[in-house]
Amino acid sequence: MSAKARRIDHSTRDNKPERVYSAHMSQEADPEASTAASPYAGRGAQMYPLLTAVQIARLSMHGRKLGVKKGEVLAEPGDRGRIFVVLSGSIEVVQPKLNEEALITVHTPGRFSGDVGTLRGIGGVVRLRVREDGEVLVIDEAHLRTIVQTDSELSELFMRAFILRRVNLITSQSSDVILLGSTHSAGTLRLQQFLTRNTYPFVNLDVDSDPSVRDLLERFHVKVEDIPVVVCRGSLVLKNPSNEEVASCLGMNQQIDDDRVRDVIVVGAGPAGLAAGVYAASEGLDALVLETGTPGGQAGSSSKIENYLGFPTGISGLALAARALVQAQKFGAEIRTAYSALRLSCDARPYAIGMANGHRVRARTVVIATGADYRQLDLENASRFLGTGIYYAATATEARRCGNAEVIVVGGGNSAGQAAVFLAGSCRMVHLLVRSDGLAESMSQYLVRRIADMPNITLRLRTEITALEGQDQLTRVIWRTGPDNASETHDIGHVFLMTGAQPCTNWLNSCIALNGKGFIRTGSDLRSEDLPASKWINARQPEFFETSVPGIFAVGDVRSGSVKRVAAAVGEGSACIQQVHRVLNE
Ligand SMILES: Cc1cc2nc3c(=O)[nH]c(=O)nc-3n(C[C@H](O)[C@H](O)[C@H](O)COP(=O)(O)OP(=O)(O)OC[C@H]3O[C@@H](n4cnc5c(N)ncnc54)[C@H](O)[C@@H]3O)c2cc1C
């Protein structure tokens, strides 16, 4: 166990129940009870559906019957993939907390256990205990996947129930995973985002606003300087843990065979990588998806995507990512979260990818979908305002949010100039903030002229943002300006960052041809010298999404010339799988 991690000795605890852990303790066994206070009230029948005799008969072909006795624990949080269909007797589902447990529901004959984690083969989040003697049908993960892939009626019933159960657990804020943090700590925000985007239920306690947190810190023998602290499953205290440590503690990843050579490894689980994972797995390929952070990529940080086809009222990036993740898991793609690809070896096939934990995984083909990091402001709270005051695109969608307010555009290149001119069409005032002494060297002359001609664009040279203020929404910006670095405060709630994006290609080990800005060249974008330099030995030309190395593809924002949009990334990730098939058949 690392020095940062401590196991709690439960025997030395006093039994004083804390406010936050006692809320649900005395609920009685009503399957609908836990949903009553949640936004999912009324959806109890979908969350806990009753299987018909005909459906149970179909399920029996995929499981084995097991007699169970009152008090027997069938699963603990962290236990991996299998579901129980109750044939007789009953099973209670409880959420363990630090000192006690909350009853979530009771499964009676015809009802079944399980949630989205079961499909993914990762650790569950609840305890299942037999309440009355009886008999259950046990269905393991592999058979469950066969059912959801082949039986459309049961697939819809299971998938909807699993998703609703997880969402209900998250909204109930009831868990034995506790994050003790502060709104002023970047580490706290990172862990909140990590747990939330992985749809993991946790209790969030803030040292700044909740005096009881200090008592808890004392009880776990940790100091305020140690926060953020994660209490994992009520027994292990992790001080300022990395995402990898939290993922490992909570059993978020499958234990899988690193020696197996996959058909395809997809690196990056943004929209492009998730789409590639869904199409690869649904078409029968053995697919592994690796993700450094959390599935969803940049799109996951968008509060509302309004231009994605089929969602006329918009969809949050988080919801889109969560749906795509479940879809990929339904088809059997293995997704490892908090796993960074550190190094690509292109010299021999199968290709090998070295990971941050020292392991290597191998595959006959690789799809690179690692996207790009937009250059952010170097301020601790900047990421908090993504989509709620800080934007990376200036389209009609963002302009609508600003109305005719004053806005800031940061950057001295053409994209900043275009954004300033566009926003000046609807906003009262556009402040164009540039670090350098002028625009002549970085921006096209026609844009420089148009900016000079527009009365509601103010060019502020040698100016840099030094602080952002606001609660849920950005409300105030402080910048330093001019030769004497004077500090100015402005009540402005919209900042457009047009300072460029950095492709995530530094792990490629120089074996793939890149363009001058580090984006990956594919297909016809490859120059004649790129192929010999990468030792291209095939008679054929590279496929549209294929890089300078045969069988290695690039899709989405990381690809040179790609359209930096969700729909484009999804389209590229889906389409490239046909080319992967062609290469696998060579
Ligand atoms: C705040 C914001 C709002 C946006 N809003 C919209 C919008 O409304 N509409 C729209 O169409 N577009 C929008 N975009 C753009 C859109 O999100 C991107 O074009 C899209 O996400 C690109 O998808 P991608 O899969 O190619 O890359 P990304 O989304 O960048 O995903 C790449 C993934 O790869 C992972 N990764 C990187 N390196 C490694 C590694 N070495 N190992 C393993 N994993 C790695 C990253 O962690 C990331 O999850 C927005 C972007 C931002 C930042």
Side-chain angles (χ1 to χ4, degrees):
M1 198 181 303
S2 81
K4 291 200 303 176
R6 258 193 80 249
R7 205 165 278 287
I8 303 168
D9 177 2
H10 288 262
S11 62
T12 60
R13 270 196 231 135
D14 58 28
N15 279 326
K16 255 194 301 174
E18 282 91 16
R19 181 174 52 74
V20 286
Y21 309 119
S22 54
H24 302 258
M25 185 48 199
S26 59
Q27 274 181 5
E28 246 320 299
D30 171 5
E32 309 272 329
S34 67
T35 62
S38 94
Y40 297 91
R43 298 191 73 175
Q46 292 182 328
M47 206 179 305
Y48 302 115
L50 194 59
L51 296 164
T52 63
V54 176
Q55 288 168 335
I56 293 178
R58 288 214 299 277
L59 286 171
S60 314
M61 293 184 294
H62 298 277
R64 69 186 163 85
K65 289 183 179 168
L66 182 74
V68 291
K69 288 263 169 255
K70 181 178 170 160
E72 193 179 330
V73 173
L74 299 177
E76 284 287 2
D79 284 354
R80 290 165 202 267
R82 47 189 198 154
I83 66 164
F84 301 94
V85 181
V86 181
L87 302 176
S88 61
S90 62
I91 300 174
E92 55 190 19
V93 182
V94 295
Q95 171 74 75
K97 301 175 175 190
L98 273 190
N99 292 337
E100 59 213 15
E101 51 186 34
L103 180 65
I104 295 171
T105 192
V106 176
H107 291 310
T108 45
R111 292 202 157 97
F112 56 90
S113 68
D115 90 336
V116 285
T118 322
L119 263 185
R120 200 172 152 190
I122 62 170
V125 294
V126 293
R127 177 176 296 147
L128 300 177
R129 191 167 42 222
V130 179
R131 195 174 173 105
E132 293 164 274
D133 292 1
E135 190 177 37
V136 295
L137 183 68
V138 189
I139 301 174
D140 66 21
E141 180 205 334
H143 283 93
L144 178 64
R145 188 161 296 126
T146 306
I147 294 162
V148 296
Q149 287 174 12
T150 55
D151 188 322
S152 61
E153 185 196 26
L154 286 171
S155 170
E156 192 180 328
L157 186 136
F158 278 126
M159 297 298 286
R160 193 171 44 213
F162 289 167
I163 293 169
L164 286 172
R165 287 174 189 184
R166 180 57 72 100
V167 175
N168 187 52
L169 264 185
I170 291 168
T171 47
S172 73
Q173 275 265 315
S174 161
S175 176
D176 60 344
V177 177
I178 297 160
L179 173 59
L180 303 168
S182 156
T183 43
H184 303 299
S185 130
T188 302
L189 181 69
R190 169 179 58 80
L191 290 167
Q192 283 168 344
Q193 285 174 341
F194 182 70
L195 290 165
T196 307
R197 289 209 204 166
N198 275 296
T199 60
Y200 208 94
F202 68 103
V203 176
N204 186 47
L205 297 177
D206 190 333
V207 72
D208 303 314
S209 58
D210 190 337
S212 70
V213 178
R214 285 180 191 270
D215 298 343
L216 276 178
L217 290 173
E218 223 165 86
R219 174 170 142 186
F220 298 144
H221 307 289
V222 287
K223 304 189 192 76
V224 173
E225 305 86 83
D226 293 326
I227 61 167
V229 169
V230 174
V231 182
C232 180
R233 297 260 148 72
S235 61
L236 192 66
V237 177
L238 304 172
K239 296 175 188 172
N240 194 14
S242 64
N243 294 349
E244 288 84 342
E245 287 170 309
V246 175
S248 145
C249 180
L250 298 179
M252 278 184 184
N253 287 314
Q254 282 166 284
Q255 286 164 340
I256 49 179
D257 173 15
D258 285 344
D259 293 333
R260 194 163 92 221
V261 176
R262 317 266 162 176
D263 292 327
V264 58
I265 294 178
V266 180
V267 187
L274 285 170
V278 167
Y279 274 76
S282 70
E283 290 172 19
L285 297 182
D286 180 3
L288 172 66
V289 183
L290 303 175
E291 168 55 51
T292 285
T294 49
Q298 294 165 53
S301 57
S302 174
S303 54
K304 202 168 212 186
I305 299 166
E306 297 200 47
N307 55 357
Y308 189 59
L309 191 70
F311 294 90
T313 55
I315 180 165
S316 76
L318 204 58
L320 188 67
R323 287 172 190 215
L325 186 62
V326 177
Q327 203 172 8
Q329 286 153 4
K330 165 180 160 177
F331 289 118
E334 288 171 15
I335 298 181
R336 288 200 201 178
T337 192
Y339 263 77
S340 290
L342 274 199
R343 189 182 161 88
L344 174 67
S345 306
C346 315
D347 297 341
R349 291 171 91 162
Y351 298 116
I353 294 172
M355 294 181 297
N357 62 1
H359 293 199
R360 264 166 37 119
V361 280
R362 291 179 303 150
R364 285 180 273 280
T365 61
V366 175
V367 174
I368 302 168
T370 46
D373 278 338
Y374 283 86
R375 288 195 188 93
Q376 294 206 10
L377 290 172
D378 193 16
L379 299 173
E380 207 177 79
N381 63 351
S383 56
R384 206 173 90 208
F385 298 114
L386 271 187
T388 58
I390 292 194
Y391 313 98
Y392 291 105
T395 69
T397 308
E398 289 80 17
R400 258 198 310 276
R401 285 193 184 193
C402 304
N404 79 336
E406 275 187 57
V407 302
I408 295 170
V409 174
V410 181
N414 279 355
S415 57
Q418 283 162 2
V421 170
F422 170 71
L423 291 165
S426 55
C427 297
R428 189 166 66 245
M429 172 60 71
V430 178
H431 302 269
L432 180 57
L433 271 50
V434 183
R435 263 201 305 211
S436 64
D437 286 336
L439 294 176
E441 291 200 355
S442 54
M443 197 180 284
S444 301
Q445 264 312 302
Y446 84 96
L447 278 170
V448 176
R449 270 199 305 276
R450 286 186 67 183
I451 286 167
D453 289 347
M454 296 192 82
N456 62 339
I457 299 183
T458 310
L459 177 62
R460 298 183 180 276
L461 301 174
R462 285 173 303 212
T463 304
E464 241 178 291
I465 294 179
T466 54
L468 302 168
E469 291 177 6
Q471 289 298 316
D472 297 334
Q473 177 81 36
L474 178 69
T475 49
R476 190 169 297 150
V477 176
I478 301 168
W479 67 57
R480 216 173 25 216
T481 187
D484 50 354
N485 270 338
S487 182
E488 293 180 9
T489 302
H490 294 261
D491 290 336
I492 296 179
H494 305 281
V495 176
F496 290 83
L497 290 182
M498 297 290 153
T499 44
Q502 200 73 45
C504 301
T505 47
N506 56 1
W507 62 282
L508 293 178
N509 200 23
S510 313
C511 63
I512 303 262
L514 307 176
N515 74 8
K517 291 185 172 164
F519 289 87
I520 301 173
R521 290 183 185 277
T522 59
S524 57
D525 189 34
L526 286 159
R527 299 162 308 172
S528 52
E529 63 267 34
D530 291 329
L531 299 187
S534 297
K535 305 190 189 76
W536 181 274
I537 41 153
N538 293 30
R540 64 172 177 82
Q541 287 300 299
E543 299 274 358
F544 188 87
F545 294 114
E546 202 169 16
T547 67
S548 58
V549 179
I552 300 188
F553 299 82
V555 290
D557 280 15
V558 76
R559 196 177 68 81
S560 164
S562 67
V563 178
K564 308 288 185 277
R565 287 284 179 271
V566 175
V570 168
E572 293 195 4
S574 317
C576 85
I577 295 304
Q578 197 183 35
Q579 298 171 14
V580 166
H581 278 297
R582 280 207 283 270
V583 170
L584 286 172
N585 289 332
E586 272 176 355

